[in-house]
Amino acid sequence: MTRICGAILVIALISACQATGQVDGGFDSRPDEPAPSGLTTGTVVRVNDGDSVVVETGSGDLEVRLMGINTPERDECHGPEAEDRLIDLVDGQTVALEEIGQDQFDRTLAYVWLGDLLVNLDQVAEGFAIASTPEEGDPHGSALLEAEDRAFQARAGMWSATVCGASGPIPAVEVDDSASSFDPPGPDEEMLDQEWVSFAGEERVDVGGWVIRDESSQHRCHLSNGTSIDPGAGLTVTSIDPCWDPGDSSVWNNGGDMTLLIDASGRVVARYRYLG
C-alpha cells in the first residue's frame, strides 16, 4: 500500500510540473501576464521547422516566424527535435498571434500563444531554441534571455552534454571576453580584421571540425583540421578568416549577439552572450 501511495504522489508531482510548464531548469513557460487581448487567432496548418509555422486565419494564411528565437537548422544538431517539439505543441491547434512586424522574407514576426502558454518562450525554456538579442521595447525579450540562461545551466535539450550522441566530459573552454573584439570602431564591413572572438582553455583541445556561430541562422565558421586551443595561446578567429560561411561580412552585431563553440558531434562547448 505504501508503494502505491508513493507512486501516486510521484505521478501527481510530475503532472503538476507539466501543468505549469516547468522544465528541468525550473523555468515556467507561462508568463506572469496573460496573452494580450485583441490578437489575431487562427489554426496552425503547417509547421515549417522549429521556429516557423503557417497559420490559417479569417483573412487567409499567414506564414509566421516566431519572434525572438532561433532554433537549429534541420541539418544541424537538435534541429529535427526542435521541429518535432513545435509540431507536438501547435500543429492543428488554435493559436493567438501577438504580431510584432515582418522579417526580410515578408513573414509575420509574432509571439505565438497557445492558451496562456507562450510558445516562443517554451521552445527556449525546454532547450530547443536560443534567444535572439531583444530590441528595445520587446515585450518578452528579457524573459527569453532568462529562459535561455536557465536551460543552459540545466543542460536541457540542445545544451545537453550528450546531445546528438556526444559523449565524454565537456572540454574546459571558454570565450575570453577581455581578449575578444565584437564591436571595433569604424564601419563594420571595413573592419573585418578587427572583429574577432578569442577562446581560452587550461589544456590543449583539438577543435578541428568544430564550428563557431553567432545567434543568427547564417554565420558559421568551420574550423579546419589541425586547429587547436592551446594553454597560454588560446585561439583567435577574426571575421575575415576564410573559415566563415558566408564570408566577407561582419559576424557579430554591435547591439548584442552571442558566440557558440560547437564540437564535431554538435554539442555546445562554450557559450558567451553580450548585450549592446
Side-chain angles (χ1 to χ4, degrees):
M1 186 66 176
T2 302
R3 291 181 180 177
I4 294 175
C5 291
I8 292 173
L9 177 60
V10 169
I11 292 171
L13 290 173
I14 292 172
S15 298
C17 288
Q18 291 174 339
T20 59
Q22 199 173 53
V23 298
D24 291 341
F27 192 88
D28 195 331
S29 301
R30 288 169 170 80
D32 293 335
E33 297 294 328
S37 60
L39 301 183
T40 301
T41 60
T43 301
V44 176
V45 294
R46 187 173 72 248
V47 173
N48 292 330
D49 52 30
D51 52 30
S52 65
V53 297
V54 176
V55 179
E56 183 180 58
T57 71
S59 57
D61 288 355
L62 280 182
E63 188 167 1
V64 177
R65 176 66 163 81
L66 273 65
M67 178 72 184
I69 73 171
N70 191 22
T71 60
E73 300 301 301
R74 280 199 182 105
D75 60 348
E76 294 180 324
C77 174
H78 220 58
E81 289 82 356
E83 181 178 353
D84 289 344
R85 169 68 177 182
L86 194 57
I87 290 172
D88 290 343
L89 273 180
V90 303
D91 193 29
Q93 300 295 316
T94 298
V95 298
L97 304 177
E98 186 179 350
E99 298 181 41
I100 304 298
Q102 289 187 314
D103 69 5
Q104 67 270 36
F105 304 111
D106 293 326
R107 297 177 297 185
T108 297
L109 287 169
Y111 285 105
V112 179
W113 292 85
L114 180 65
D116 63 348
L117 178 73
L118 184 53
V119 175
N120 314 51
L121 183 61
D122 190 79
Q123 284 288 81
V124 176
E126 295 283 3
F128 291 101
I130 64 173
S132 301
T133 302
E135 297 182 1
E136 186 175 355
D138 189 317
H140 306 292
S142 59
L144 291 173
L145 292 178
E146 184 181 353
E148 181 190 279
D149 280 340
R150 288 176 179 261
F152 177 75
Q153 294 301 325
R155 286 289 177 179
M158 65 181 288
W159 310 110
S160 169
T162 58
V163 70
C164 299
S167 61
I170 298 176
V173 174
E174 62 182 16
V175 174
D176 185 350
D177 59 331
S178 65
S180 298
S181 175
F182 298 112
D183 183 14
D188 287 351
E189 301 305 321
E190 297 177 11
M191 307 296 292
L192 298 185
D193 61 337
Q194 299 299 309
E195 181 182 76
W196 64 73
V197 60
S198 290
F199 297 95
E202 296 180 357
E203 298 180 354
R204 186 180 188 277
V205 179
D206 181 4
V207 295
W210 292 24
V211 172
I212 304 169
R213 60 164 288 185
D214 69 341
E215 70 179 27
S216 77
S217 299
Q218 297 180 340
H219 301 116
R220 303 290 188 272
C221 166
H222 299 272
L223 297 170
S224 60
N225 292 334
T227 305
S228 64
I229 298 173
D230 297 299
L235 173 67
T236 297
V237 177
T238 72
S239 295
I240 204 171
D241 285 353
C243 64
W244 290 102
D245 179 22
D248 299 323
S249 66
S250 177
V251 174
W252 289 283
N253 296 323
N254 297 341
D257 210 329
M258 77 184 311
T259 298
L260 298 177
L261 178 63
I262 301 170
D263 69 16
S265 66
R267 176 175 60 180
V268 175
V269 173
R271 164 184 172 269
Y272 176 77
R273 178 180 289 282
Y274 66 94
L275 300 177

